[in-house]
Each structure stands twice: as structure tokens, then as C-alpha cells.
Amino acid sequence: MGKYVLGIDQSTQGTKALLFDTEGTLLCRADLPHKQYIDERGWVEHDPEEIYANTVAVVKNLVEKAGIDKNEIAVLGISNQRETAMVWDKETGKPVYNAVVWQCARGAAICEKIEEAGYGEMVRSHTGLQLSPYFSAAKIAWVLQNVEGAQERADAGKLCCGTIDSWLVYKLTKGKVYKTDYSNASRTQMFNISTLSWDQEVCDLFRIPLSCLAEVTDSDGDYGCTDFEGYLDAPIPIRGVLGDSHGALFGQGCVEKGMIKTTYGTGSSIMMNIGKEPVFSKRVVTSLAWKLNGEVNYVLEGNINYTGAVITWLKDDLELISSPGETEALAMKANPKDRTYLVPAFTGLGAPYWDSEATGIISGMTRTTKRAEVVRAGLDCIAYQITDVVKAMSEESGIQIGELRVDGGPTKNRYLMQFQSDMANVTVQVPSAEELSGIGAAYAAGIAAGIYTRDEVFAKMSRTKFTPSMDEAAREEKYAGWKHAVSQVLTR
């Protein structure tokens, strides 16, 4: 058995390779960014060939940076940006179009047509997901409908229609394995979460043939072997595949019913483990957490398009900051009496509002509103959006939430973490470890390979705690102001 577990976290902004020892300690990390293709309509794409090339390159970079013997890597786990979807030729492995990113709402008209035909509730009851262009089905349908000859080739079973995990598995195994896991399948809007199989009726609505979809496999199942294009002397098994938010849920140790976590990334996923039976909701969605050790767990989840991306917007577009690290000090010095709100509905609003036509707004400014106040509003809107979802989950599940486990780059911001605790009125726990998505997938692979045991590997993680300190009246006033700002952008 090798000495190391390898994790790959293929995220919206880039691809990370993570190296863990036999104790589950993160030893080294390497990452490579990839280009974001965004046009004037707000459509977002990635080049899947660039993503794959970076995946191979970043593993080489990691090995060189860590100075280890590459042949002592025992097993690989993969976490991936979810909902991002692509279509490629089954035989040649060539993409027929760029990957359509989860943020991209270009499938809105396809969803509207299905809704108008009266199938929206059927889709939700079968898949657990509100009919929305956020999910993979409408993105794949758009590609099939808009790339010349694609629909015909799909109908003939000549194309693969999948998510980024299935693309990486396919490429890493030289086209021998075309599989996805239960967590990723449940986010496509084509998977029946009660029968645990691709849903023929829903796929027919989107005109996506079942023959084009990946085999669904346990999250700690067998995904073939890879040598990273000959870089390793002998191939290693791929034994863990999880969507990034599911990976973070597992990496946070949220393996029991009622445990909840939030990943602060480009967007945010708030996810609650609800156990072995689904709870269907109209404000948040129901998905599969995973299928691990032969057992399925379900989750309630709310997704937000713009959280960490708001900080990027403040830096790159408004040029109010030169680095994300400036936001904490600016928020601390902002006028506490200022009531500026930012609603970042740049590509609509996700849970619990589900309004893809909503647009962004800055409201409540006065003559004394300056740079610090606008930056603080940018941070505050992250916490407000997450609070919306946490409240909805508690109400829908009947579970009182007392603790929120969090991860992602913005969790380093002490102002944001304290404000999150105050707004949601719960304890916020920030782990010492970073890269929870990749950790979850790597731990799943390491446990499947017999390198780790679940209880031991989770017991080692230390956490920083933030507890609510805001006066109840102040909390209610601030939150009411947020709800009023949101009401100004909703179209339905």
C-alpha cells in the first residue's frame, strides 16, 4: 500500500491537487486556474480540454512541490464543480461544445416551456429539484438544441452528456470508464431520488436520451484506474467521487441526521443531512448526500449563485478593493448606522426565491455612504443569503439548527463569520483544515481503500467557534431591511 492519498478538487475557478498522508493530514497543495468565458448576456463557459490538461498538470506540480516518490500514491478521490455540464463524442472523447457552467442561466427558456406545459411539479416530485436552468439538464438540452447535429447524434447514442466528474473519469481512464456518483447524478435534474435511477419521463422532457448518460456508481465505488497520461509508472484506482458540496459535507464530518454545513465558494451551498429518507420542499431542494458503504443519505440543500463571487466583483469590476483580505478591515470601520444593502442577483436568485429573472440592486445609500459601507454590504449579503436558506431548512425539516459548520476561502474573514453567526443566530464552526471538498473526496477514497477509518480521520479536526452576540432587536431590524431589499428585485 502506498503512503499517500491524492485528492483532486475541480472547482469553478481552477483545479487543485491535494496530498494526504496515512493519517489524513493535508501535506501539500498545488492549483492551476482556468479561463472563465463570460459574454455580454452573462453566459458562462469553461473549456473542458483545458480543465483536463490542468488536472494532469496539477498532479505533476503537486508531486514536484511535495518532493515525494510519485509511485507511493495509493488512491485518488475527485470532487468537482456540480451542475456544470458538457457533451462530448463517445468515440473520440472530443467535446462538441464548451462546458456550460452552473452559474449560467441560458437554459431558462427550455425550463419555461416545460413549466408552461404543466410538468414543473412532476419534475420536482421525481428529482427533488425545482425546475430551473441552474441544474444540468437544461444546460445539456441547450447544447443538444443549439449545436448543429448534436441532437441527432445524441438520439443515435453517439454522445456522452455528463458533469465534470464523469468527464474527468472518462479522460483519466482513457475512455474505458463512463461513470458518475449518486451525489452528482442527483444534481442533474434527471435522476429520480426515490427510485435511485435516471428518470425516463424527465429525460424525455429535455430530449436527453438515457443512452447518453453515465452509469451511476456508489460515491466510494470503483471508477477504474489512471496513470495520468503515463506520468505514474503504474495506474492507481479512483475510489472516491463526490460533488464539491457533498465532499465538503463529508469532509466536515456531517454524517449524522440534522448536521449542516455551508461552503463559501464562488457561490454557496448550504446542505443539511436529513438521513435515509427524503424530505421534499418547495423552497430548498432535496438531493442525495452520497451513497457510501452501500448506504444512501439524503440532504436538503439551498444554492446561492453569488457569495464569494461578490468579493471578486468588488475587486475586479468595481475596483473598490485590491485583494479579498481588505474587506474585513473595511467592514469593521464602516459606519454602523449605514443601511446600505446589496442584493447580488446578477444571474437571478437561487434558493429560497427561485427567480431567474431577478436583477441586482444596491439600496439604502445616503450621501454619507462611502467605499467601506458598500464593501460591508457586499460581505453582509453573503450572510443574509445563507440565513435565508438556513431558516427555510429548519422550517421545512422541523429540525432546530444550533450549529453551522462552514468552509471555503471567505471563512477566514472574522467580520463575516461573526455577522453570519449573528444573523442566523447559531454557532458557526470554522475548521482548521481548508479545502473541505477535496478532503471529503480524498477521505472517501482513502476509507474505501482501507487506509483510513471514518471515526479516526474526522476526530482530528480542530475548529474556531463564533457565537451570536448581536442584540435581538438589532438582528431583526437588519434582517427585515434585507428582506425589503430582496422584495424590490423579485419578479414573481
Side-chain angles (χ1 to χ4, degrees):
M1 180 68 71
K3 292 181 180 178
Y4 305 106
V5 173
L6 178 63
I8 290 172
D9 178 27
Q10 202 301 294
S11 67
T12 311
Q13 301 296 327
T15 305
K16 305 181 192 80
L18 308 165
L19 189 71
F20 300 87
D21 66 14
T22 53
E23 302 292 310
T25 303
L26 177 59
L27 301 176
C28 191
R29 163 189 162 178
D31 50 293
L32 284 170
H34 57 258
K35 186 172 180 180
Q36 310 288 316
Y37 296 89
I38 306 173
D39 70 9
E40 69 281 354
R41 295 166 292 192
W43 290 6
V44 191
E45 298 176 4
H46 293 156
D47 177 355
E49 297 276 27
E50 181 188 9
I51 285 174
Y52 176 64
N54 282 0
T55 300
V56 175
V58 81
V59 170
K60 296 177 182 177
N61 294 350
L62 177 75
V63 168
E64 289 169 13
K65 184 177 177 182
I68 64 160
D69 179 351
K70 64 186 179 183
N71 296 307
E72 291 190 329
I73 298 172
V75 68
L76 168 65
I78 299 170
S79 62
N80 60 286
Q81 53 169 318
R82 305 172 309 159
E83 295 96 22
T84 295
M86 56 175 293
V87 179
W88 68 96
D89 187 282
K90 234 173 216 180
E91 212 166 286
T92 67
K94 292 292 181 187
V96 306
Y97 191 80
N98 274 344
V100 181
V101 179
W102 58 270
Q103 292 166 311
C104 185
R106 74 181 66 190
I110 293 168
C111 291
E112 285 163 16
K113 191 174 178 182
I114 294 171
E115 186 72 63
E116 287 165 7
Y119 293 108
E121 180 55 29
M122 183 270 274
V123 171
R124 188 187 72 83
S125 65
H126 286 210
T127 68
L129 307 176
Q130 305 287 348
L131 181 58
S132 169
Y134 182 93
F135 303 109
S136 310
K139 303 177 195 300
I140 291 169
W142 185 94
V143 173
L144 296 184
Q145 292 175 23
N146 288 275
V147 174
E148 188 175 352
Q151 186 70 63
E152 291 74 21
R153 289 163 68 195
D155 291 342
K158 293 181 178 179
L159 299 180
C160 295
C161 301
T163 44
I164 294 295
D165 61 302
S166 59
W167 162 249
L168 290 180
V169 166
Y170 178 94
K171 292 289 285 182
L172 286 167
T173 61
K174 299 180 171 63
K176 293 175 185 171
V177 179
Y178 178 38
K179 293 181 177 181
T180 189
D181 93 298
Y182 282 81
S183 71
N184 279 292
S186 74
R187 301 295 297 179
T188 62
Q189 194 140 71
M190 294 182 284
F191 193 74
N192 189 306
I193 62 169
S194 299
T195 65
L196 301 179
S197 60
W198 295 117
D199 193 291
Q200 182 76 62
E201 285 182 85
V202 175
C203 287
D204 286 348
L205 291 176
F206 289 99
R207 276 200 70 189
I208 300 171
L210 294 186
S211 61
C212 295
L213 301 177
E215 178 188 343
V216 184
T217 303
D218 289 14
S219 307
D220 56 356
D222 179 3
Y223 291 85
C225 295
T226 183
D227 61 8
F228 295 99
E229 300 289 338
Y231 177 63
L232 301 181
D233 293 346
I236 60 170
I238 307 169
R239 289 301 310 271
V241 173
L242 287 158
D244 52 11
S245 292
H246 310 258
L249 187 74
F250 189 68
Q252 286 272 26
C254 293
V255 294
E256 303 296 335
K257 182 177 178 179
M259 298 181 78
I260 184 171
K261 70 90 207 174
T262 294
T263 296
Y264 296 73
T266 305
S268 280
S269 157
I270 303 94
M271 190 178 276
M272 174 193 274
N273 189 329
I274 55 172
K276 296 175 181 60
E277 297 294 331
V279 173
F280 288 88
S281 165
K282 290 192 175 180
R283 290 190 289 164
V284 291
V285 302
T286 310
S287 304
L288 291 165
W290 45 64
K291 188 178 181 188
L292 290 167
N293 200 27
E295 191 170 85
V296 162
N297 273 51
Y298 289 88
V299 290
L300 286 178
E301 181 175 3
N303 293 98
I304 299 164
N305 291 354
Y306 281 84
T307 51
V310 173
I311 299 172
T312 304
W313 176 71
L314 291 171
K315 178 173 74 75
D316 294 346
D317 299 292
L318 294 193
E319 298 180 357
L320 292 177
I321 55 173
S322 57
S323 73
E326 293 176 38
T327 57
E328 182 180 315
L330 282 166
M332 296 282 201
K333 78 171 191 179
N335 179 359
K337 295 182 179 178
D338 187 86
R339 291 292 177 262
T340 299
Y341 288 90
L342 165 65
V343 181
F346 301 130
T347 53
L349 285 173
Y353 302 105
W354 298 105
D355 189 344
S356 58
E357 298 301 313
T359 54
I361 189 174
I362 298 177
S363 68
M365 292 189 294
T366 67
R367 179 64 183 81
T368 61
T369 301
K370 299 182 179 70
R371 170 175 167 244
E373 287 71 35
V374 174
V375 169
R376 185 182 66 186
L379 288 181
D380 288 354
C381 78
I382 298 172
Y384 285 130
Q385 291 180 93
I386 288 164
T387 298
D388 285 339
V389 175
V390 169
K391 284 177 176 287
M393 281 184 178
S394 181
E395 291 163 9
E396 299 280 317
S397 67
I399 297 171
Q400 186 68 36
I401 297 167
E403 175 187 283
L404 181 64
R405 295 188 174 186
V406 300
D407 56 84
T411 62
K412 293 190 184 82
N413 189 306
R414 291 169 300 165
Y415 169 84
L416 176 58
M417 290 300 96
Q418 183 59 56
F419 193 71
Q420 183 69 78
S421 176
D422 288 334
M423 281 301 105
N425 200 23
V426 298
T427 299
V428 170
Q429 298 262 21
V430 185
S432 55
E434 297 180 17
E435 313 306 338
L436 269 294
S437 299
I439 283 175
Y443 281 7
I447 293 167
I451 296 170
Y452 306 138
T453 64
R454 195 176 84 173
D455 292 341
E456 287 177 357
V457 84
F458 290 134
K460 296 175 180 177
M461 197 175 290
S462 61
R463 301 175 187 275
T464 302
K465 185 186 292 188
F466 294 83
T467 56
S469 61
M470 186 178 289
D471 175 77
E472 183 64 29
R475 176 187 299 116
E476 289 181 2
E477 182 185 352
K478 287 179 181 293
Y479 190 63
W482 162 253
K483 298 296 277 187
H484 175 69
V486 170
S487 71
Q488 296 178 73
V489 309
L490 296 176
T491 63
R492 58 180 185 221

